[in-house]
Amino acid sequence: MNSGASCAPPIKIFKRGGAMSKLKRRRRELRAAGLLTAPFLFVFTVFFLYPTYKVIALSFTDAPLIGEGQWIGFANYAKLLNDRLFFTSLWNNLYFVLLTVVPTTVIALLIALAVSKLKGRMQALVLTLFFLPYVLPVSVVTLIWAWMLDFQFGILQPLIAAVTGKPVPVFRNPYWVMPMIAVVTIWWTNGFNVLLLIAGLRNIPQDLYEAASLDGATPWQRFWRVTWPLLWPVTALVLTLQLILQLKLFDQVYLLSNGGPFNSSYVVLMQMYREAFQLNNGGYASAIAMVLFLVIVIVSVLQFQILRIGGRK
């Protein structure tokens, strides 16, 4: 009995020592994690959190672009409710989303399915050709298309004339301007969507296609029963990313049409640019930016939830 009692304290000391070593190791891991994440947290705070706070604060003031202003509460937001130009620009943004988000995803899916059938160098070459426009700066892209669609000597004007019966100055026509900017945008950005969808296709096990073929499934049935359900998460991601990007439309419109004609291509970011950099209304521009931010968040979350529900069915 005595020998058993004498052995008890060393066991307790060992357990306490093990707990202390785990605690020290945990502290070392936390310090290491803090040191590794500190650069990101610093950059995130300085370049995202602080500017976001300043934009929110400015939206409640009458401040110019540079300098302090007087606190005016929700006056800027009340002004937006009576701003017809803001609602026109918001409608143009939503119209552009309808013209681009679903069409560019469908086109990217068709291209990805076609490219996935190729092998070796041919597949790499075709992928490069489709991805090449994506690496071009927007100034080069708009210059190329402005030249091709020029009213007098554009190489695409004969094609337009064959459809309409006469050449059309597409970037000065209120009915043509947004659809043509949508065409330019799809051509410019679709390479990235193709890469995402091809990556999704490559993650689908080939055994599933072989099993479906053995069961007598047609190519359409293999796509609808195998490819589409497994590719749906990537497709939903592409749709969500495209929605966010197209709601932030600015560069192409500014360079191709400058919001015209008759404000038919005037978008929200153009109004924010005008208020901030041309009219020196930093507070009102900040309110426009906050409303656009809320619209992007709400629409993106709703779309993502709808797509997720649709993917479960």
Side-chain angles (χ1 to χ4, degrees):
M1 294 296 290
N2 292 336
S3 62
S6 62
C7 294
I11 295 175
K12 291 181 180 179
I13 293 172
F14 175 76
K15 289 183 177 179
R16 188 176 301 170
M20 290 297 293
S21 63
K22 289 182 179 179
L23 182 59
K24 290 180 180 179
R25 185 168 65 252
R26 180 64 175 170
R27 288 177 178 173
R28 285 198 301 269
E29 291 174 353
L30 289 175
R31 282 197 298 268
L35 290 173
L36 291 173
T37 57
F40 165 77
L41 292 175
F42 174 77
V43 173
F44 183 76
T45 301
V46 172
F47 294 101
F48 181 80
L49 287 183
Y50 180 71
T52 302
Y53 159 74
K54 289 297 293 183
V55 169
I56 295 173
L58 282 174
S59 69
F60 295 102
T61 69
D62 60 355
L65 181 62
I66 300 175
E68 300 296 329
Q70 299 294 324
W71 179 269
I72 58 174
F74 289 93
N76 286 326
Y77 295 96
K79 182 180 177 180
L80 273 177
L81 295 177
N82 299 314
D83 191 341
R84 294 182 60 183
L85 184 59
F86 173 73
F87 286 101
T88 299
S89 62
L90 185 60
W91 162 250
N92 289 334
N93 271 87
L94 297 177
Y95 177 46
F96 190 78
V97 165
L98 293 176
L99 290 173
T100 54
V101 173
V102 174
T104 192
T105 305
V106 173
I107 293 171
L109 178 60
L110 294 175
I111 294 173
L113 290 172
V115 172
S116 64
K117 303 296 182 183
L118 302 176
K119 302 295 182 183
R121 294 182 178 178
M122 180 58 68
Q123 185 183 69
L125 176 62
V126 174
L127 272 177
T128 302
L129 293 176
F130 280 114
F131 189 75
L132 184 60
Y134 185 73
V135 302
L136 296 176
V138 64
S139 57
V140 176
V141 171
T142 53
L143 198 62
I144 291 172
W145 281 90
W147 172 72
M148 291 195 299
L149 293 169
D150 185 85
F151 179 65
Q152 294 182 340
F153 53 82
I155 61 174
L156 293 182
Q157 281 297 336
L159 179 61
I160 295 175
V163 176
T164 63
K166 60 180 180 179
V168 178
V170 291
F171 298 122
R172 296 194 298 272
N173 186 300
Y175 301 103
W176 281 76
V177 59
M178 288 300 276
M180 291 312 301
I181 294 175
V183 170
V184 174
T185 303
I186 292 172
W187 178 85
W188 178 35
T189 62
N190 216 22
F192 181 70
N193 302 326
V194 171
L195 286 183
L196 288 177
L197 291 168
I198 286 179
L201 288 171
R202 289 179 176 176
N203 284 330
I204 299 176
Q206 293 298 316
D207 297 344
L208 298 177
Y209 291 110
E210 295 175 1
S213 298
L214 291 175
D215 290 338
T218 63
W220 171 252
Q221 290 173 331
R222 290 197 297 270
F223 170 79
W224 192 248
R225 298 295 183 182
V226 179
T227 305
W228 181 246
L230 296 177
L231 195 61
W232 177 252
V234 179
T235 306
L237 174 64
V238 170
L239 286 168
T240 303
L241 291 176
Q242 285 301 308
L243 177 66
I244 295 171
L245 290 174
Q246 308 313 343
L247 282 173
K248 297 190 299 179
L249 173 70
F250 174 76
D251 300 344
Q252 307 93 290
V253 171
Y254 182 77
L255 293 172
L256 289 172
S257 67
N258 200 25
F262 313 115
N263 295 329
S264 56
S265 63
Y266 201 82
V267 291
V268 175
L269 283 183
M270 286 201 68
Q271 186 179 13
M272 187 182 71
Y273 171 81
R274 174 175 174 268
E275 292 291 339
F277 296 99
Q278 295 178 351
L279 302 180
N280 200 31
N281 295 328
Y284 192 54
S286 298
I288 296 173
M290 290 309 303
V291 171
L292 179 60
F293 173 75
L294 291 175
V295 169
I296 291 174
V297 170
I298 293 171
V299 174
S300 301
V301 170
L302 287 176
Q303 175 184 277
F304 186 77
Q305 293 298 327
I306 292 171
L307 293 176
R308 190 174 67 173
I309 294 172
R312 292 175 178 175
K313 294 182 180 180

